[in-house]
Amino acid sequence: MNVLVINAGSSSLKYQLLNPDSGAVLAKGLCERIGIDGKFTYKPQVEGKEALKEVDVAMPTHSEAIQAVLYALVDAKNGVIASMKEIDAVGHRVVHGGEAFNKSVLITDEVMKAIEDCIPLAPLHNPANLTGIRACEKVMPGVPMVAVFDTAFHQTMPAKAYMYALPYEYYETDKVRRYGFHGTSHKYVAGRAAAMLGKKSEELKLISCHLGNGSSVTAVDGGKSVDTSMGFTPLAGLPMGTRSGDLDAGILEYLMAKYNMDIKEMVSILNKKSGVLGVSGVSSDFRDLENAGKEGNKRASLSVEMFNYGVKKLIGSYAAAMGGVDAIIFTAGVGENSASQRLAIASDLEFMGVKMDAEANKVRGEEAVISAPDSKVKVLLIPTNEELMIAMDTAAIVSGK
Ligand code: ADP
């Protein structure tokens, strides 16, 4: 079976054609500047096929973008499949499923309506995801499509973890609660962790640290998300590349009054000018911060320390919340690549049974156990693969498993 995975943004569309059983990727790429001047990138993963990089393709709407993807996939010279019939299903990443979806679903008219109903919760993302779905329906009629939600994995959180201490009607009437994000990634690495440890998911208490440009940490007890650091929006939790993470809401009133800012300006600062970029004044990219730190830039070092400290505190609190932890997982850009940050985060935790192995930790981008052999709690590096998770869910649903 081949599944086409689509991640549609407002003016971009990422795609990957893969086999969910073997994990083999046939081709992947990106349509950018949809509705502007259309740039198309195609990277076949099959020997002897040539890639296309940012070539001009007219893409006034997402439909032309999908059409360009299909043409490239079946192209006589550089295509990877003989015809569209070899695409068995399409898996769509959808950011927000609200409380309506606790797992991936086959897309029907009712599902489209429910995704539309979640637009107020993700006003930038869900409309773009819907556009991607409609474009596929138009260009590939009859091919089954599945929606995979960033929020669905976290729907198992208990009320004590997802409620905010606000007047209850804001939850009942306005759906204000913690939803959590990166669910597809947390679910994937939690599944891989069980496989690596040779245990059933039901037997394990895991803490999954997805540390990238956006970061979240999730407590996974018995295969289910029981708490997560992102909240009503992805602004919550850890300090991130440019996002503040959690802060005292009183700061908003203080700064808005002092600098005569409206709420839009304030929230824009929290989303785009804060996090490690805001503290360091250098960059939102952790590689730049590490380099600047080595050259003596104290604010760059401070921003990374704050981030690492934030992750460490979440590990401690989620271990307490679950009454223990069997393994800690590092994934995403920083988690997969930065040995120094993994070490900073997971060191000095011997009191709770975590003992890192500095040598084993000198690894990048591959599955590995990075704790010492006698560490009670295993520490794992697991590269995330959201596309594979989407393809696996899609295959399971269309084949009725
Ligand atoms: P997203 O998908 O959220 O955009 P990624 O998961 O790709 O983000 O992570 C991007 C982050 O990973 C960047 O801040 C980047 O600096 C960081 N990163 C990548 N490689 C390294 C590395 N070798 N050391 C430290 N950070 C790294």
Side-chain angles (χ1 to χ4, degrees):
M1 175 180 269
N2 293 325
V3 176
L4 179 62
V5 173
I6 299 284
N7 182 354
S10 57
S11 69
S12 71
L13 184 148
K14 280 189 216 151
Y15 64 92
Q16 205 172 102
L17 182 68
L18 70 165
N19 178 324
D21 301 318
S22 66
V25 178
L26 286 95
K28 58 184 172 179
L30 179 62
C31 305
E32 289 168 290
R33 300 180 63 85
I34 299 170
I36 313 170
D37 55 356
K39 300 279 177 208
F40 181 69
T41 296
Y42 170 69
K43 297 181 191 162
Q45 307 290 299
V46 177
E47 272 286 316
K49 305 282 179 179
E50 282 168 31
L52 299 171
K53 190 159 181 263
E54 292 175 21
V55 299
D56 290 314
V57 174
M59 299 189 253
T61 72
H62 286 66
S63 297
E64 290 82 11
I66 303 269
Q67 191 64 65
V69 172
L70 296 179
Y71 283 144
L73 293 173
V74 302
D75 180 65
K77 187 157 169 266
N78 290 312
V80 292
I81 50 175
S83 84
M84 252 183 63
K85 289 199 192 102
E86 290 178 42
I87 302 175
D88 300 283
V90 182
H92 289 271
R93 177 196 181 213
V94 179
V95 167
H96 221 304
E99 289 188 327
F101 298 104
N102 59 10
K103 54 180 186 298
S104 305
V105 285
L106 192 70
I107 298 177
T108 60
D109 290 346
E110 292 79 61
V111 167
M112 290 295 277
K113 169 80 181 55
I115 298 173
E116 262 172 43
D117 291 343
C118 294
I119 287 177
L121 300 173
L124 297 179
H125 292 101
N126 272 30
N129 302 150
L130 283 163
T131 306
I133 296 171
R134 291 199 188 97
C136 274
E137 271 175 345
K138 192 169 150 195
V139 180
M140 332 173 53
V143 179
M145 299 202 287
V146 168
V148 180
F149 302 91
D150 274 16
T151 50
F153 182 58
H154 300 301
Q155 278 296 306
T156 45
M157 281 189 287
K160 66 182 177 188
Y162 71 67
M163 285 299 293
Y164 289 113
L166 289 168
Y168 198 76
E169 53 268 29
Y170 290 132
Y171 168 61
E172 277 188 316
T173 314
D174 305 299
K175 301 182 176 159
V176 174
R177 53 160 285 177
R178 181 188 304 280
Y179 290 100
F181 299 87
H182 292 142
T184 311
S185 174
H186 290 299
K187 182 180 169 189
Y188 175 77
V189 298
R192 288 302 310 151
M196 281 173 78
L197 299 171
K199 295 248 168 80
K200 291 205 178 90
S201 296
E202 293 75 29
E203 302 168 332
L204 290 169
K205 293 180 192 298
L206 304 169
I207 298 175
S208 165
C209 307
H210 177 112
L211 312 178
N213 213 350
S215 297
S216 68
V217 178
T218 295
V220 185
D221 196 347
K224 295 189 168 126
S225 169
V226 291
D227 206 345
T228 192
S229 62
M230 281 182 170
F232 179 65
T233 73
L235 179 55
L238 290 163
M240 308 182 208
T242 63
R243 284 175 244 163
S244 63
D246 290 344
L247 80 173
D248 177 350
I251 295 169
L252 274 63
E253 187 196 17
Y254 175 76
L255 288 178
M256 285 165 71
K258 188 155 188 200
Y259 294 107
N260 195 21
M261 282 190 281
D262 64 21
I263 189 69
K264 274 207 151 55
E265 288 171 276
M266 188 71 246
V267 172
S268 168
I269 290 173
L270 298 181
N271 270 309
K272 296 182 182 150
K273 295 190 177 164
S274 301
V276 291
L277 169 70
V279 174
S280 69
V282 171
S283 173
S284 63
D285 190 303
F286 282 89
R287 284 165 291 200
D288 298 341
L289 296 171
E290 195 169 333
N291 291 335
K294 278 184 193 145
E295 285 161 15
N297 186 318
K298 293 216 161 50
R299 273 169 52 189
S301 300
L302 172 64
S303 68
V304 179
E305 272 174 40
M306 287 167 65
F307 176 85
N308 294 345
Y309 178 62
V311 181
K312 190 189 279 276
K313 283 204 293 187
L314 282 168
I315 290 172
S317 57
Y318 288 167
M322 291 191 288
V325 53
D326 298 300
I328 297 166
I329 306 163
F330 285 102
T331 193
V334 175
E336 290 168 29
N337 292 296
S338 177
S340 62
Q341 288 190 249
R342 288 192 302 260
L343 201 59
I345 292 163
S347 57
D348 303 324
L349 295 179
E350 284 83 2
F351 76 92
M352 55 179 270
V354 180
K355 191 166 157 199
M356 284 290 276
D357 181 331
E359 272 309 304
N361 183 44
K362 286 182 188 157
V363 62
R364 288 178 70 151
E366 60 185 79
E367 288 187 358
V369 179
I370 56 175
S371 46
D374 61 342
S375 181
K376 200 171 132 281
V377 177
K378 301 286 172 232
V379 185
L380 309 174
L381 192 172
I382 304 180
T384 194
N385 194 338
E386 289 164 278
E387 290 79 11
L388 178 56
M389 189 73 251
I390 293 173
M392 285 160 59
D393 268 10
T394 302
I397 286 172
V398 301
S399 59
K401 275 182 211 151

